[in-house]
Amino acid sequence: MNRPDLPHDLFDRHLAAFLEGRCGLAAVEKPAFRTLIADLSAAMAGGHVCLPVTGAQAMLLSRSPLVSDGRIPAPLVVDAGRLYLHRYYRYERRLADRLLQLAAVRHPVPDLELLLDGCFPVATATTDRQRLAARLALTRSLTLITGGPGTGKTYAVARILALLLLVHGPDLRLALTAPTGKAAMRLRQSIAAGVTGLDLPPELAAAVPEQASTLHRLLGVRADSSHFRHDAGNPLPAGVVVVDEASMIDLALMSKLVDALGPTTRLILLGDRDQLASVESGAVLADCSRSLPDNTVELDRTYRFDHGISELAALVNSSDGDGAWELLDSAAADSVSLVRGSFLTHAVARYRDYMTAAAQAEGESQIQALFALLNRFRVLCAVHRGERGTAAVNAAIEGGLRDAGCAIPFDEIWYPGRPVLVTSNDYSLDLFNGDVGICLPDQALGGRSTVWFERPEGRLRSILPSRLPQCETVFAMTIHKSQGSEFDEVLVVLPEHDSQVLSRELVYTAITRARKSVRIDARREVLAMAAGRTLDRSSGLAGMLARPAAGTL
């Protein structure tokens, strides 16, 4: 929902008052109607798609001409005990209908098992699950491959794409995409590495895309519009669309993506359903993977992580906060531990090498190396505000680096090495919320500060600070913003006291951003509260996937 720049509760009250004045109900019924609309607005601001209502509340709402059951246009919809804004009911219903259509499509493949033998020759419990994923993707139009980081999702997909090309030939058009530029770049690299190890004929190897794009770029952004160039009337020119980090995709964007698929296009969704859901409304991947088991394969063996990280993630994912604390406190695994002393001291020590390299970086090869150095370590915070939020932690790290002798002036924000996080979309610059850049002087511009970004296709691009959309320093970032990224080491900073944002999914997501090492700075009771809280989002998608449409939208 597009909300104006107002405090959430103020916008909720304004919307409720506006609709109350037009609801057509008796005066005695209007306060209850107003409360329901305010509660719906507040729920959507929290990522829910709809508001559960009781039978009595549904009867009250049904007496208003502003409310329908979804079969006729109206601002509000009540369906299956849930209250929606019509736009979001439409997104959910259209998405469910299209996914059910895709899920039902079957493709005959001659000599299927022989083809699979060529890519998955050893029959083990692990390869059997990857082989099952490949079998689904070859024989069905919808495949969901879920699993935590390092479980081989993109390894399996590289082989799936090779098999699809062997079956359908080099004219099969493939599209690789992800919600963020960083995730798209990682997908491209993973697929390229996976295909390199296969003995494909040159013409088939050449058909594997060398680039991956963000979803917005794939669908075709239109300036000042919520619509994309590609939709049901102008579908994507692709036979197979592979989407990584699907847990990050909100209901509206997923609905628009599925609408833009051609009638014979296959969709392969990759993601971790245990991670945080999208920042916007819905938990689409989790709903789909639960409701479409015949189209879903979960990979459950981790290859990338040290055993300690895997064990810590599993403990948090099972809501065992005490077990997680004991593992962190025991030093049983070098890769996971509590922070001893000040987390700021540790962070400054880890960033000093990066700042030293930034002071000397010239030329694209050195800038690429600087990005690699920056991505070795990141501080992840649960919140943005407060003493242990990203704003305060970033300022403290800058101060600590300055005290350590790094060239960070007091009166200049665009200093060499400053890492910045874009926090709003700018379609004209092809920059999106979550993109990370590095500020460096550009000798071609007389030493003026520019901000460099890695693009999904692997190249670098520099932009003057004055042209950038909203951005902030990113020595530390929120866990939400870290989705789609990986770092060798993460330092997780939780608030001193309980917060509504703390959840099992939040801590799990933070832990699984690390490849080699996790350090956590938290109080035991706060970690236990976070691990014990699950964020369930109100949505009707799972139910819609189990029943026919109420009507045509």
Side-chain angles (χ1 to χ4, degrees):
M1 178 169 59
N2 296 323
R3 302 170 67 97
D5 190 16
L6 291 171
H8 289 323
D9 58 343
L10 183 59
F11 175 79
D12 301 337
R13 293 199 301 270
H14 278 304
L15 178 63
F18 176 81
L19 293 178
E20 178 194 5
R22 294 156 177 79
C23 70
L25 297 176
V28 69
E29 295 176 313
K30 286 185 176 181
F33 179 90
R34 181 175 65 245
T35 297
L36 285 170
I37 302 307
D39 288 348
L40 171 62
S41 180
M44 294 188 68
H48 301 280
V49 177
C50 52
L51 179 73
V53 293
T54 65
Q57 290 170 331
M59 287 295 295
L60 167 69
L61 290 162
S62 70
R63 292 193 286 272
S64 170
L66 299 181
V67 183
S68 81
D69 63 359
R71 286 178 288 187
I72 59 174
L76 301 166
V77 172
V78 173
D79 179 68
R82 299 179 180 90
L83 173 63
Y84 296 83
L85 290 180
H86 183 270
R87 182 197 301 181
Y88 283 82
Y89 175 78
R90 184 173 181 272
Y91 284 146
E92 204 165 74
R93 184 71 264 175
R94 286 176 65 88
L95 176 60
D97 291 347
R98 188 71 177 100
L99 287 174
L100 287 171
Q101 292 171 4
L102 286 169
V105 176
R106 301 291 187 270
H107 302 280
V109 181
D111 299 321
L112 175 60
E113 298 306 319
L114 287 175
L115 281 169
L116 293 172
D117 286 343
C119 286
F120 306 95
V122 180
T124 67
T126 301
T127 58
D128 278 351
R129 298 207 62 77
Q130 292 178 337
R131 184 181 177 113
L132 175 58
R135 184 183 292 111
L136 279 177
L138 264 66
T139 60
R140 305 195 180 192
S141 284
L142 176 65
T143 305
L144 291 82
I145 304 176
T146 67
T151 52
K153 297 186 294 292
T154 52
Y155 172 92
V157 166
R159 281 152 177 75
I160 287 168
L161 296 182
L163 289 168
L164 286 169
L165 288 168
L166 285 168
V167 172
H168 298 281
D171 292 335
L172 180 66
R173 298 188 66 173
L174 311 176
L176 307 179
T177 185
T180 67
K182 176 64 72 174
M185 188 161 47
R186 283 181 40 231
L187 175 62
R188 176 188 66 84
Q189 293 167 345
S190 297
I191 296 296
V195 170
T196 299
L198 300 174
D199 187 20
L200 280 179
E203 67 275 14
L204 297 185
V208 178
E210 295 182 354
Q211 299 181 3
S213 67
T214 62
L215 274 168
H216 287 83
R217 192 174 183 183
L218 176 73
L219 292 173
V221 171
R222 287 177 169 172
D224 302 318
S225 173
S226 62
H227 300 285
F228 294 101
R229 287 198 308 275
H230 291 293
D231 55 20
N234 179 31
L236 290 163
V240 181
V241 176
V242 176
V243 186
D244 200 9
E245 297 290 351
S247 65
M248 297 175 63
I249 304 175
D250 64 89
L251 171 66
L253 185 56
M254 185 68 84
S255 180
K256 292 173 183 179
L257 168 65
V258 172
D259 261 353
L261 299 179
T264 61
T265 302
R266 301 169 193 247
L267 178 64
I268 302 174
L269 299 177
L270 314 176
D272 184 352
R273 62 184 178 187
D274 293 322
Q275 277 187 200
L276 282 167
S278 63
V279 175
E280 302 296 334
S281 296
V284 176
L285 181 68
D287 285 343
C288 291
S289 60
R290 284 194 294 265
S291 303
L292 299 169
D294 291 344
N295 296 77
T296 302
V297 176
E298 182 171 12
L299 306 181
D300 52 12
R301 179 178 176 182
T302 300
Y303 297 91
R304 182 188 310 153
F305 295 146
D306 172 275
H307 175 70
I309 298 177
S310 297
E311 184 179 358
L312 180 62
L315 288 166
V316 169
N317 207 24
S318 62
S319 299
D320 187 355
D322 288 334
W325 181 272
E326 289 167 6
L327 177 63
L328 289 162
D329 196 35
S330 68
D334 292 340
S335 57
V336 298
S337 68
L338 297 171
V339 174
R340 312 294 180 182
S342 167
F343 77 82
L344 181 60
T345 300
H346 183 74
V348 169
R350 297 295 288 113
Y351 279 125
R352 281 188 68 182
D353 289 346
Y354 162 77
M355 289 300 295
T356 300
Q360 303 166 356
E362 291 184 9
E364 291 206 6
S365 62
Q366 291 188 10
I367 296 173
Q368 290 276 20
L370 193 61
F371 272 103
L373 190 57
L374 175 64
N375 288 329
R376 289 182 185 175
F377 173 77
R378 193 63 47 88
V379 178
L380 303 181
C381 300
V383 295
H384 183 68
R385 296 180 176 85
E387 291 183 3
R388 296 167 72 82
T390 54
V393 170
N394 274 310
I397 291 173
E398 284 183 324
L401 288 168
R402 187 183 295 115
D403 293 342
C406 298
I408 301 179
F410 285 97
D411 57 351
E412 176 56 61
I413 63 170
W414 297 108
Y415 55 84
R418 182 193 177 198
V420 295
L421 176 76
V422 175
T423 59
S424 63
N425 296 334
D426 188 320
Y427 300 119
S428 65
L429 292 176
D430 199 26
L431 287 178
F432 298 98
N433 191 345
D435 286 348
V436 172
I438 298 175
C439 180
L440 293 168
D442 191 333
Q443 301 307 319
L445 298 175
R448 291 180 66 184
S449 293
T450 58
V451 180
W452 292 83
F453 292 90
E454 293 180 299
R455 308 312 301 151
E457 62 272 18
R459 63 184 177 87
L460 290 171
R461 180 186 182 196
S462 67
I463 299 174
L464 290 172
S466 59
R467 298 186 62 206
L468 291 177
Q470 288 181 325
C471 57
E472 60 191 33
T473 303
V474 72
F475 290 113
M477 67 197 307
T478 61
I479 298 167
H480 276 90
K481 294 286 188 183
S482 73
Q483 288 178 273
S485 298
E486 290 181 348
F487 312 98
D488 287 348
E489 178 185 356
V490 299
L491 193 163
V492 183
V493 179
L494 299 185
E496 282 288 326
H497 305 287
D498 191 20
S499 167
Q500 289 286 355
V501 305
L502 291 179
S503 68
R504 180 192 75 194
E505 295 86 352
L506 188 85
V507 180
Y508 171 85
T509 300
I511 292 167
T512 54
R513 297 311 88 204
R515 287 184 288 256
K516 298 179 180 178
S517 174
V518 176
R519 305 283 179 261
I520 296 184
D521 191 275
R523 295 169 57 203
R524 179 169 186 158
E525 55 268 33
V526 172
L527 180 62
M529 284 186 285
R533 179 185 292 135
T534 298
L535 295 180
D536 291 321
R537 288 190 165 176
S538 295
S539 162
L541 181 60
M544 289 180 183
L545 289 169
R547 61 188 173 92
T552 301
L553 291 174

